[in-house]
Amino acid sequence: MSCLGWFKRRRSRSGGSSTSTSGKRGASASAPVSVSGPATTMTTTTMASAVSTSRSDDSGAVRPVSKSAGSSSQASQRSISSLYEERGHGQLRVFDYEELQGATAEFSRAQKLGEGGFGSVYKGFIRAADGKGDRVPVAVKKLNQRSMQGHKQWLAEVQFLGVLEHPNLVKLLGYCAVDSERGPQRLLVYEFMPNKSLEDHLFRRANPPLSWNKRLQVILGAAEGLAYLHEGVEVQVIYRDFKTSNILLDKDFRAKLSDFGLAREGPTGENTHVSTAVVGTHGYAAPEYMESGHLTAKSDVWSFGVVLYEILTGRRSLDRNKPAAEQKLLEWVVQFPPDSRNFRMIMDPRLRGEYSVKAAREIAKLADSCLLKNAKERPTMSEVVEVLRRAVQAHAEPDSRTPGGPGAKGKKSSDAATPSRR
């Protein structure tokens, strides 16, 4: 039985890349590739074709091809699919379904770490492929069988994370794809991240608040991960779902970007953007993307600006539990510009004043530059990384005179003591 039965290959007249002949989903025709076996090993051709199709299907319109681009330049363009064929598929382990079932105590509710649009994530314990050594913890993501979008995200994650490798990206260890009487089973196995997500530490009171230094460490790591996607790979990758819940934290609180199901390859040649359906999380998506479906790396930069303000304020981008005037974070913080006397009004009270006011102002200015309406005026992620590195190096420790900070001893902070004129 084919595990990719409903995904068909789609070839353009100009060279075999996936294209759409109409605005409708599934407007393609070709024979599906059959996959068999208890623990399905997908061929690289199958994986590349399926993922390419899933990316075009999410929008009904694929990346436009520049009319002025020559056929030779088109032929030389790299893609995630070609990179995966070259080196990605050999790095991933193919798991038996029964092995993952046993590793998670039959996907026990007690082992459940979380749930999303894709499906549920469970903690499990596995041994090395040779069966030797102690069992190590992993996170097993199990597809909701009723989710077509989840299936496409599963394919995309295997493709992207089979190629991408960086200290600030979560590591995909392997996958499982098998058809049975229970229906298609699609699973992903990741390294386990013991400190959960940035969202857990910023917004959930059950967890202790992140210190100022840890916040700087986390956001710098996340920025370095995004910069790698945008500028450090042969193919530009647009993450498209940058938010606090997708920033996972390892045992040392190193940030690692997770969930690449919505990632897209960036524009190539003379193209300025990728055209897609608008997906992602409300409150993080860039306005030009929301309005037009035009996706660029600067769309990720906008999302990064939103998360910078969440780091500073300890507030969600959208919180219906706040008073009406404070529910939308970006509309609220604009009342307290970085250079204003009452800027400190936005700072997370859980920091208890133990932060560098000067660094906080610099980070707020950086956030404002990421949130410029004109996408072309926003910084690149490599520029963002440089600003954050300087802030971390110069102002990691709390100000000695910050109220409540070390060394305060009752002294008044000259930066924040003046009453607001508003």
Side-chain angles (χ1 to χ4, degrees):
M1 183 177 182
S2 170
C3 82
L4 300 173
W6 57 90
F7 280 105
K8 311 277 179 79
R9 290 188 185 181
R10 181 179 302 180
R11 298 206 175 261
S12 67
R13 296 178 181 177
S14 62
S17 60
S18 63
T19 59
S20 176
T21 56
S22 73
K24 298 179 181 179
R25 294 175 185 262
S28 59
S30 182
V33 179
S34 183
V35 182
S36 62
T40 306
T41 304
M42 309 179 78
T43 68
T44 57
T45 303
T46 303
M47 187 65 70
S49 174
V51 174
S52 179
T53 303
S54 73
R55 287 194 213 111
S56 62
D57 279 354
D58 83 348
S59 62
V62 300
R63 183 174 62 215
V65 177
S66 172
K67 293 181 180 178
S68 62
S71 59
S72 61
S73 65
Q74 289 183 30
S76 65
Q77 289 173 357
R78 306 303 304 276
S79 68
I80 290 294
S81 297
S82 63
L83 292 173
Y84 182 84
E85 288 184 22
E86 287 178 16
R87 60 178 183 261
H89 64 282
Q91 300 178 11
L92 299 178
R93 178 176 166 184
V94 182
F95 288 89
D96 291 333
Y97 181 80
E98 290 75 14
E99 180 180 1
L100 297 183
Q101 190 175 34
T104 58
E106 298 188 356
F107 305 104
S108 165
R109 186 173 299 180
Q111 298 294 102
K112 195 170 183 178
L113 298 173
E115 188 167 1
F118 175 101
S120 300
V121 182
Y122 301 85
K123 184 176 181 179
F125 294 87
I126 63 169
R127 283 193 170 87
D130 60 8
K132 298 179 181 179
D134 295 332
R135 296 196 307 165
V136 297
V138 294
V140 180
K141 186 186 287 188
K142 187 175 188 289
L143 171 65
N144 180 339
Q145 293 178 317
R146 298 183 298 276
S147 174
M148 274 294 293
Q149 182 65 26
H151 183 86
K152 288 185 287 186
Q153 290 179 20
W154 177 86
L155 289 166
E157 289 222 46
V158 172
Q159 189 91 36
F160 278 100
L161 289 179
V163 171
L164 304 173
E165 187 173 359
H166 188 270
N168 296 110
L169 303 186
V170 71
K171 186 175 180 60
L172 179 66
L173 303 177
Y175 62 87
C176 172
V178 61
D179 290 343
S180 66
E181 295 178 355
R182 298 184 296 271
Q185 303 292 338
R186 304 289 178 266
L187 302 97
L188 298 167
V189 182
Y190 304 90
E191 62 177 320
F192 179 67
M193 304 293 281
N195 280 311
K196 302 181 180 179
S197 71
L198 177 58
E199 177 187 49
D200 288 307
H201 289 273
L202 282 182
F203 309 131
R204 293 177 181 167
R205 294 300 186 257
N207 296 296
L210 281 180
S211 68
W212 176 245
N213 285 356
K214 277 197 171 69
R215 293 185 197 212
L216 294 184
Q217 173 188 336
V218 167
I219 201 61
L220 175 57
E224 290 174 333
L226 268 187
Y228 165 76
L229 296 178
H230 291 178
E231 304 165 38
V233 195
E234 294 97 319
V235 180
Q236 184 186 63
V237 176
I238 303 174
Y239 187 46
R240 201 159 57 146
D241 202 19
F242 187 82
K243 57 184 179 180
T244 54
S245 61
N246 282 343
I247 304 173
L248 302 185
L249 306 173
D250 70 8
K251 62 183 179 63
D252 299 316
F253 281 87
R254 173 188 288 172
K256 298 197 179 190
L257 305 185
S258 68
D259 198 345
F260 281 74
L262 298 182
R264 288 290 301 265
E265 293 179 21
T268 58
E270 297 182 9
N271 301 310
T272 60
H273 62 269
V274 177
S275 295
T276 81
V278 177
V279 298
T281 305
H282 186 66
Y284 294 93
E288 73 279 359
Y289 175 52
M290 295 285 290
E291 292 166 5
S292 66
H294 291 176
L295 184 69
T296 71
K298 295 298 180 75
S299 305
D300 282 346
V301 175
W302 171 282
S303 303
F304 189 84
V306 176
V307 172
L308 279 177
Y309 267 122
E310 290 184 318
I311 283 274
L312 292 175
T313 64
R315 294 186 179 210
R316 295 182 183 272
S317 61
L318 181 65
D319 190 344
R320 299 297 186 190
N321 295 320
K322 296 288 184 184
E326 300 181 19
Q327 290 182 0
K328 295 181 179 180
L329 178 60
L330 298 186
E331 293 181 3
W332 177 66
V333 297
V334 76
Q335 305 171 65
F336 310 97
D339 284 331
S340 67
R341 293 180 177 180
N342 55 357
F343 166 73
R344 286 185 66 256
M345 296 289 291
I346 75 167
M347 295 301 293
D348 187 353
R350 298 181 82 202
L351 286 169
R352 298 183 181 276
E354 296 181 359
Y355 59 89
S356 165
V357 178
K358 185 175 181 181
R361 290 183 188 277
E362 292 176 1
I363 290 171
K365 290 177 183 178
L366 176 61
D368 288 344
S369 70
C370 293
L371 297 166
L372 289 172
K373 186 173 183 180
N374 185 345
K376 294 180 180 179
E377 295 179 1
R378 297 171 198 157
T380 64
M381 282 310 303
S382 60
E383 292 170 335
V384 168
V385 167
E386 288 307 310
V387 173
L388 287 173
R389 281 178 180 164
R390 289 196 296 268
V392 169
Q393 291 168 1
H395 308 292
E397 295 299 326
D399 291 344
S400 61
R401 292 191 298 167
T402 300
K409 297 182 180 179
K411 291 184 180 181
K412 184 184 292 184
S413 170
S414 59
D415 186 86
T418 306
S420 169
R421 293 182 180 180
R422 295 179 180 270

